[in-house]
Amino acid sequence: MIRHVTSRGLQSLAVLAVMSFVVYGLMGLMPGDPIDLMIASDPHLSATDALRLKALYGLDRPWTERYLAWLLQVLQGELGYSRLYARPVLDALLPALGNTALLMLTALALALTVAVPVGIVASLRPGSVFDHAVNLVAFASVSLPTFWLGLMLIVVFAVSLGWLPASGIEDVGGDGGLAERLRHMALPVATLALAGMGQYVRHMRAAMIGEAHHDYVRTARAKGCSPARIVLRHQFRNALIPVTTILALELGGLFSGALITETVFAWPGMGRLIFEAVMGNDFNLALSGLLLATAMTLLGSILADLAYAALDRRVSYR
Amino acid sequence: MSPHLRSLFAALVLCAGAALPATAQPETRAIEARTKDELVIGITQFPATFHPNIESMLAKTYVLDMATRPFTAFDPHWKLVCMLCEKLPTLENGLATREGEHGVALTYTIRADAKWADGTPVTTEDVLFTVDAGRHPLSGVSNSELYRRILKVEVRDKKTFVLHMDRLTFDYNAINDLRLVPAHIERPRFELPAEYRNRTAYDQDTTNPGLYNGPFRIAEVVQGSHIVLERNPYWDGQAPAFKRVVVKTIENTAALEANLLSGGVDMVAGELGLPLDQSLAFEKRVGKDWNIIFKPGLVYEHIDLNLGSPILADKRVRQALLFAIDREAINRQLFGGRQPVARTSVNPLDGVHADDVPTYRFDPARAAQLLDEAGWKMSGSVRRNAEGAPLSLELSTTAGSRSRELVSQVLQAQWRKAGIEVRLRVEPPRVFFGDTVTRRKFPHMALFAWYSAPESVPRTTLHSTMIPSEANNWSGQNYPGYVNPRMDQLIDAIEVELDRPKRVALWHELQQLYADELPALPLFFRSDAFILPKALKGVTPTGHQDPSTLWIETWRWQPDSDPVPAPTEKSPSKEKKVPAKKGKP
Amino acid sequence: MTPVAARALRRLRHDRPALLGVAVLLAMIGAAALAPWLFQDPEAMDLTALFAPPSAEHWLGTDELGRDVLARLAHGGRVSLAVAGATAVLAAVFGTALGLLAGYHGGRLDALLMRLTDGVMALPLLPLLIVLAAVDPAKLGIPPESMGDEAFAIGRIVVIIAAVGWTTVARLVRAQTLSVKARDYVRAATAIGASPGRVMRRHILPNVASPIVVAVTLSVGNIVLVESALSFLGLGIRPPLASWGNMLTGAMTVVWSAPAQALWPGLAIFLTVLSANMVGDGLQRALDPRAGDAEF
């Protein structure tokens, strides 16, 4: 087990290194660099100014060379400065990370709270009216463009009804208290939860139905266990395996944010930060953000394996 | 659609929302929800840095203009005024004197009451430091033109200094780009000049009051979300009416409109607000509840023509292109008549505008005649030359600008009717400005805008030495590649002509030449829409690159019945209209 | 017809949601394919009739430039569906090839390919798409002359989305290949000296086909959504070429004054994704060897 985890971890580090090179290279292939943009937006910049600034930002060197410099710097634990925000990368990254984690975790929790029971109930009678209805709603949830859903929620709950704020993370000059925070989180969380709910319902339902065909369920039934006990103790526990796997793979999303939802609700999270950094050729910031999310997904997939093993063992002991 | 059907659609799209009556007038909701001494402004961009001289970005200027003051600026009437100085130096009042063969010495005195918000007076020490930093090659200051022109700073006393400039131009006393940074805070951080851009207090300690000398200071920054400004206790000018101003960034304009309607923001800034078509729709729907000001300004929407292309090298083809499009109709139908059609790059509001240049009113017959003369004969639905090659052009423009996307599609359709085939190529701004136009890679036409200042001399855009090339490291903005010795002479002459009537005559000839030769197709002067609550008074759009927030102290809440005070100027204003330099695209 | 396909078809015939999905998708594809003959010119504009309500001439009214919304919807469908179809197939081909190679050869190659898959899967999707969308084709040696035309615009989006979308298929195919490889008839084929290429083509591919078909169908809906998200960010299909994504994005700014503008493309996207999912789901049930006939 430990050997397996170590080797997966080492492989993941190698993947991370390769991905950093690929992403750096792709960003290097984007046309226009910051100084070109500056020349375009400031007629007073002369050729000498451009050369001076390019040398200052190190942009006059080929990207492969800059990548090596960046890699050495990172290996020494130094993430460098964000070119865009003129501050250390972590100072720019951490507040956004907090906002994103808050948003994504709440949305995930809400989606699961609804999806798991609904998925279980729907799985009890496949083909029933309730099951069909759940299926339809679940399909609808995965079929709506998020920006459209988000704007509609704003139109209804912020503009027409005036119940909730349309955007932002807190009231300006408010007390910053829990109630205020929750009010601001309501709409973006609802958008993400509604959009994510469908797939969890469907996975839960499918996993439950899959388990229902297994022999141990029939055996338990034959032994006279109550249906509720069968569903909850046996089916549910095993059905959690695929659902947990899917959840673990979502771990990266908690760190990369939800760009579209963040844009619509002016939520200053990781999605927007990475977007700005990529578009603004802020290599240090973009790479740190992207690789953090990548690392978390890789970690998630290792955790998924572990969870799988753990849950599976309990099953085999029975 | 019948009213019934229409409301059904609305209900479908907006779910229950549109069908429900709004619970309160949005405007009243907005104001009641807040104490009246606060103003929340919505803009579409978040400033990345706050240092006045590092990087140029409209959102930064918009916010900083409430908290810092440039030395000189153009007021809403496009007159050069002193903001931080006591009096504009002129040759007439003796504060400006000729020096050497071309140079000039300018004597400025810092306003006696100018103080940083920590109580430290603004002194010549700050001027010295700002110029030092500006001239240092490693400081990261992006715009070094002004600092290059300053030969020497001579300090008379704590408040008075003399700038020795290399050249006497007609706009000699405009030093709009000189934005002071406080020496008592920034000098220690400048010890390692190469590290300065990462150590400046503007980004490391943004809420330090000592960084600001305007009516407000930045009190809180929530990255990517909003900026809170509070009063500068040491501000001695006209007292601002608000205790606090909040600038919220909402990039998506549909969401920004929702915030306006739901009271999340009080007003939308024209400088960085809703696109014109959205504003017009807003006006049509709820305009009576708001005060909406459409301000056409110095944003010159035009199409640069690549004169290196054999097709466009022919003047008749360029003129035909302009005759073939109906700019008036576009302005009327798409922009509610709010975007004046441009004749040349000079704005009609500018004092040097010539009224007698050709207008190229929509004239398909004239366009057809010119194209025939140029050898492009109609064959089928497209014109072809003697070799049978079709008259086919490519129009590049930037993605993300909705009105530009709409305009380019209409132009394409109108040119098609004239037998000109136009392909559209839409690129992200960083590609468009970073590569396509700056390296003159557009094959035929490029649609974009110039921001300029009043009476700005088009040296960088029309002088033959300003054609970007590999050799000059792609500097200069004569993207069409326009070469005309007479134009070069006119530009050189205008810059140093101090006599206004003579200068106006030169300007007229320049516009005649421009309108005849058409190195670029003039389209419109863009309008900004300022959406203000009815009770907010004193906001005066400027129409040029100095945003309205430079006069934030004249803004106030006021019920409709009260008289509206005109924005006051804080300095003696006998100055004549004086020009500044070219702005940014 | 193979017994598997026959059983699948029999099951599908009784699967009402899947049949409905097939019907809707076919109708959409039909309308899109025949758009140039069925509908008006989508680029013909009338500046005097902006946002006109539905009429006999314009069944769904006109848009912000006075163009026929129905015609644009149908032509937008051509682009959106072409992008979705082409991307799904391209991703499937690429994913299948890599999955087969990894699963069949195993060992080092397998580890390498699977770690590559991990890496691509792990990178956050949208930021990666943004980077890809902004890459300069000229720096990759693509001639600039070809960049202006429609096929290039569509092809670019297809390649970008497919470049990150192949991973699911690759994993599925690899897993399936591993299990099929161990079966007797494959061993027999290998033993009598069939080349690896032939074994993969003749013996393994037919057995991994059904999960591929399901995955492709399910991905179609996703791709339509991704295209609309890219349009929202200004990186998708660009005007004057209409796609459902850019129509919806354009309509967002006028959502209060002309809500119907957002309704139609939104509905088109919704219906397409919905029916693609229903079909995919139906296929999954129909092809599932474990499931009984009676479930639906």
Side-chain angles (χ1 to χ4, degrees), chain C residues 176-231:
Chain C
Q176 196 78 6
T177 308
L178 283 178
S179 87
V180 175
K181 194 171 72 168
R183 286 186 202 162
D184 291 342
Y185 63 88
V186 179
R187 290 188 182 177
T190 318
I192 59 168
S195 72
R198 188 183 158 81
V199 174
M200 279 192 256
R201 219 170 40 243
R202 289 295 301 269
H203 300 288
I204 298 182
L205 199 55
N207 284 296
V208 300
S210 59
I212 299 176
V213 169
V214 173
V216 167
T217 329
L218 288 173
S219 71
V220 164
N222 236 333
I223 295 162
V224 173
L225 285 177
V226 169
E227 190 263 325
S228 79
L230 280 180
S231 284

Side-chain angles (χ1 to χ4, degrees), chain B residues 16 175 262 327 352 357 460 515 557 583:
Chain B
I175 47 171
S262 66
R327 293 169 294 167
V352 297
V357 299
T460 58
W557 291 121

Side-chain angles (χ1 to χ4, degrees), chain B residues 246-444:
Chain B
V246 180
V247 182
K248 267 195 195 175
T249 301
I250 297 152
E251 284 190 40
N252 182 271
T253 58
L256 181 56
E257 186 175 342
N259 272 270
L260 189 65
L261 291 170
S262 66
V265 300
D266 294 321
M267 60 167 276
V268 169
E271 290 90 346
L272 281 164
L274 305 182
L276 191 58
D277 66 327
Q278 197 182 341
S279 310
L280 288 165
F282 183 86
E283 186 191 30
K284 211 183 277 174
R285 219 159 24 85
V286 291
K288 61 177 188 344
D289 301 327
W290 298 82
N291 181 18
I292 303 177
I293 308 173
F294 291 94
K295 178 75 181 180
L298 280 170
V299 187
Y300 171 51
E301 290 281 351
H302 68 284
I303 298 175
D304 267 3
L305 302 175
N306 189 340
L307 304 179
S309 117
I311 303 176
L312 295 174
D314 188 332
K315 188 168 89 180
R316 291 167 298 188
V317 175
R318 304 201 293 272
Q319 292 177 337
L321 280 172
L322 198 50
F323 273 123
I325 55 177
D326 192 350
R327 293 169 294 167
E328 286 294 345
I330 297 175
N331 177 33
R332 201 172 50 239
Q333 300 299 338
L334 291 189
F335 302 124
R338 305 286 189 184
Q339 298 213 120
V341 170
R343 292 178 180 186
T344 69
S345 58
V346 177
N347 192 297
L349 297 172
D350 204 318
V352 297
H353 178 256
D355 299 324
D356 52 353
V357 299
T359 53
Y360 293 92
R361 198 169 284 283
F362 179 51
D363 189 347
R366 186 97 176 79
Q369 185 198 338
L370 280 164
L371 288 173
D372 281 340
E373 281 170 23
W376 295 99
K377 310 280 187 205
M378 204 68 176
S379 93
S381 63
V382 68
R383 288 177 179 275
R384 291 176 188 278
N385 63 7
E387 289 90 59
L391 180 46
S392 171
L393 303 169
E394 185 173 297
L395 174 62
S396 312
T397 188
T398 58
S401 159
R402 193 167 151 73
S403 57
R404 228 170 259 164
E405 274 175 9
L406 296 181
V407 166
S408 58
Q409 293 178 64
V410 177
L411 294 181
Q412 184 190 36
Q414 292 181 342
W415 276 322
R416 189 184 295 140
K417 281 190 188 143
I420 306 162
E421 182 187 286
V422 171
R423 279 165 290 123
L424 296 185
R425 179 149 159 213
V426 190
E427 298 178 326
R430 55 170 290 152
V431 182
F432 186 79
F433 290 117
D435 209 44
T436 307
V437 291
T438 36
R439 310 239 152 142
R440 301 191 62 222
K441 282 187 184 164
F442 59 104
H444 305 109

Side-chain angles (χ1 to χ4, degrees), chain B residues 1 13 254 278 333 402 409 426, chain C residues 47 53 67 238-239 253 256:
Chain B
M1 194 185 330
V13 178
Q278 197 182 341
Q333 300 299 338
R402 193 167 151 73
Q409 293 178 64
V426 190
Chain C
L47 290 187
R67 297 171 296 196
R238 302 196 175 114
T253 57
W256 283 279

